[in-house]
Amino acid sequence: RSAPWRFAAGLALTVMTLAAGAGLLAVSGYLIVGSAIAGLGLMAFDVVIPSAAIRLFAVVRTVARYAERLASHDATFRFIARLRVDVFRSIADGRGQLARLRAGALFARLSSDLDALDGLNIRFATPFFAAAIVLTGFAVILWSISPLLAAATIMPILTGGVLAPCLVGIFATRDARRRMLALDAARTRLVDLDRG
């Protein structure tokens, strides 16, 4: 809520990066296949326009990727910094659930939990939403060519990129919760030992 345009800029630049990468793959494939067919003498093929398009997509992808890293990391780190201040303030005031935790569990929340939030945007939310936007655009384009082509292209991506991670997340939830509780207990013992 504090700076939504920073997150939106990171998302837009990620979409541009993915689209430029897909365009680079498509035009490169077109150039290779066209050159091979022309090499067999079956047709004349102009390599100038595809070569220029490849260079354009390569430059756009590189610049957009760099700018996306700057924008998304800046937005995430500003959010985490503000959140840390709020968390420390609530602990100092003695209000909220964090003030009632033991020292080891509190240490875990301040270190690992807050640090894990930066990965939520940088490694999950931004790439996920950007991929969804790009795949929707490709699905619409492919659907206008052939619905069967769109289904044959998009379904494996959805299966491997959405369904498989969701299933892994469902099956790993119990183990992740047990790991978190074990780490909290170990940190609590470590802090108690240090105090002792």
Side-chain angles (χ1 to χ4, degrees), residues 59-74:
V59 169
V60 167
R61 185 180 71 163
T62 303
V63 171
R65 182 69 166 165
Y66 182 74
E68 176 267 323
R69 288 290 178 185
L70 289 178
S72 61
H73 281 69
D74 179 57

Side-chain angles (χ1 to χ4, degrees), residues 80-133:
I80 296 295
R82 207 170 292 120
L83 182 63
R84 276 202 174 101
V85 170
D86 292 343
V87 168
F88 279 113
R89 188 173 288 136
S90 71
I91 293 168
D93 293 345
R95 56 188 165 80
Q97 292 181 347
L98 285 176
R100 292 188 287 273
L101 290 174
R102 292 192 60 185
L106 182 60
F107 174 72
R109 296 297 174 262
L110 293 178
S111 59
S112 63
D113 289 359
L114 285 175
D115 289 339
L117 286 176
D118 65 3
L120 182 65
N121 178 54
I122 294 171
R123 294 187 192 97
F124 175 72
T126 300
F128 178 78
F129 288 118
I133 291 168

Side-chain angles (χ1 to χ4, degrees), residues 28-195:
S28 298
Y30 171 73
L31 178 65
I32 291 168
V33 171
S35 299
I37 293 173
L40 295 173
L42 300 176
M43 64 176 241
F45 184 72
D46 180 19
V47 296
V48 175
I49 294 174
S51 299
I54 287 172
R55 287 190 285 278
L56 174 67
F57 282 131
V59 169
V60 167
R61 185 180 71 163
T62 303
V63 171
R65 182 69 166 165
Y66 182 74
E68 176 267 323
R69 288 290 178 185
L70 289 178
S72 61
H73 281 69
D74 179 57
T76 301
F77 293 149
R78 284 174 188 263
F79 167 73
I80 296 295
R82 207 170 292 120
L83 182 63
R84 276 202 174 101
V85 170
D86 292 343
V87 168
F88 279 113
R89 188 173 288 136
S90 71
I91 293 168
D93 293 345
R95 56 188 165 80
Q97 292 181 347
L98 285 176
R100 292 188 287 273
L101 290 174
R102 292 192 60 185
L106 182 60
F107 174 72
R109 296 297 174 262
L110 293 178
S111 59
S112 63
D113 289 359
L114 285 175
D115 289 339
L117 286 176
D118 65 3
L120 182 65
N121 178 54
I122 294 171
R123 294 187 192 97
F124 175 72
T126 300
F128 178 78
F129 288 118
I133 291 168
V134 170
L135 282 175
T136 302
F138 284 141
V140 168
I141 292 169
L142 291 174
W143 189 272
S144 67
I145 297 170
S146 165
L148 184 61
L149 178 63
T153 304
I154 300 299
M155 288 309 293
I157 295 171
L158 289 178
T159 302
V162 176
L163 183 61
C166 287
L167 289 174
V168 168
I170 289 169
F171 290 122
T173 301
R174 183 177 52 105
D175 292 334
R177 189 172 289 123
R178 283 195 343 217
R179 180 179 179 271
M180 183 191 70
L181 292 173
L183 283 173
D184 280 353
R187 285 187 181 111
T188 300
R189 287 189 207 111
L190 180 64
V191 170
D192 289 346
L193 178 66
D194 181 56
R195 285 184 169 179

